[in-house]
Amino acid sequence: MAIFHVSITDEQAALIENSPLFFVASADPELRSGADGVGPVNVSPRGGVPLHILDRNRVAFLDYAGSGNETARHSEAGGPVTIMVCSFEEENAAIVRLYGKARVTPVENSPIADLLLQSEATDINLPTRQIVEVDVERTATSCGFGVPVMSFVRDRGRS
C-alpha cells in the first residue's frame, strides 16, 4: 500500500538522486489526442540525465529532442504529470511517484538552465530541447516488490 506525503522525503530524495532512470507520465486534461494522432496519455523513460530536486516540492530535468513532445503539449494544456522512480537493487525495493503539474521552458529562457546544464548528458547525441520543471503537489512511496532486480550497464548512446 502506498504511503503519501506532501513533499519529497529524505528517503525519496536518496532514491531519486541515485537513480539512472525515471519515467514521466502526462495526460491531456480533456483526454484529447494530439493533432498527429498521438494519444491523450503518454509515458516516457528518461535516462542519461538526472532528475534534479530543486526543493522538496519542485524537481526539474533537461529534456532532449528525439521523439514526440507530449509532455510539453500536456503541460501547456494544464494536464497532470507523474514522475516515477524505481529501485532496481536487490536490497532496496521501492517505487517513488511525484504528482504535480509541469512547466516547460526553452533552455535559453530558463533561470535554472545553468544548473541543469552542469549535468548535461554526455552519451545522448541529440540537441537539448527544453527544461521541464514539475511543481510537486504530493508524493507516494510503495513497496516495489513487483520491480525486477536489474543491473545498470551504461547509458545508451546514439551514434
Side-chain angles (χ1 to χ4, degrees), residues 2-145:
I3 299 171
F4 293 91
H5 303 277
V6 295
S7 61
I8 298 169
T9 67
D10 290 341
E11 294 80 15
Q12 290 172 332
L15 178 62
I16 291 166
E17 290 167 352
N18 291 308
S19 181
L21 170 72
F22 60 96
F23 298 86
V24 179
S26 61
D28 183 285
E30 297 182 21
L31 296 178
R32 299 170 297 213
S33 292
D36 56 2
V38 176
V41 177
N42 184 63
V43 179
S44 296
R46 304 295 170 137
V49 296
L51 178 61
H52 292 265
I53 299 173
L54 303 175
D55 64 44
R56 295 299 174 143
N57 288 96
R58 205 175 85 185
V59 297
F61 62 92
L62 188 58
D63 185 39
Y64 289 80
S67 59
N69 199 4
E70 290 301 280
T71 302
R73 183 175 75 81
H74 295 157
S75 298
E76 289 170 7
V81 170
T82 300
I83 294 180
M84 184 178 76
V85 181
C86 303
S87 170
F88 296 101
E89 289 100 28
E90 177 104 33
E91 66 281 349
N92 184 25
I95 299 171
V96 170
R97 290 180 180 88
L98 309 176
Y99 303 100
K101 299 279 184 171
R103 180 170 57 259
V104 177
T105 309
V107 175
E108 60 276 7
N109 296 341
S110 174
I112 61 169
D114 289 342
L115 171 68
L116 273 61
L117 288 167
Q118 289 175 19
S119 305
E120 192 171 4
T122 56
D123 293 333
I124 299 174
N125 190 19
L126 296 168
T128 56
R129 176 167 44 198
Q130 59 210 1
I131 290 176
V132 179
E133 287 182 72
V134 178
D135 292 322
V136 177
E137 298 166 355
R138 67 183 177 133
T139 73
T141 300
S142 55
C143 71
F145 287 109

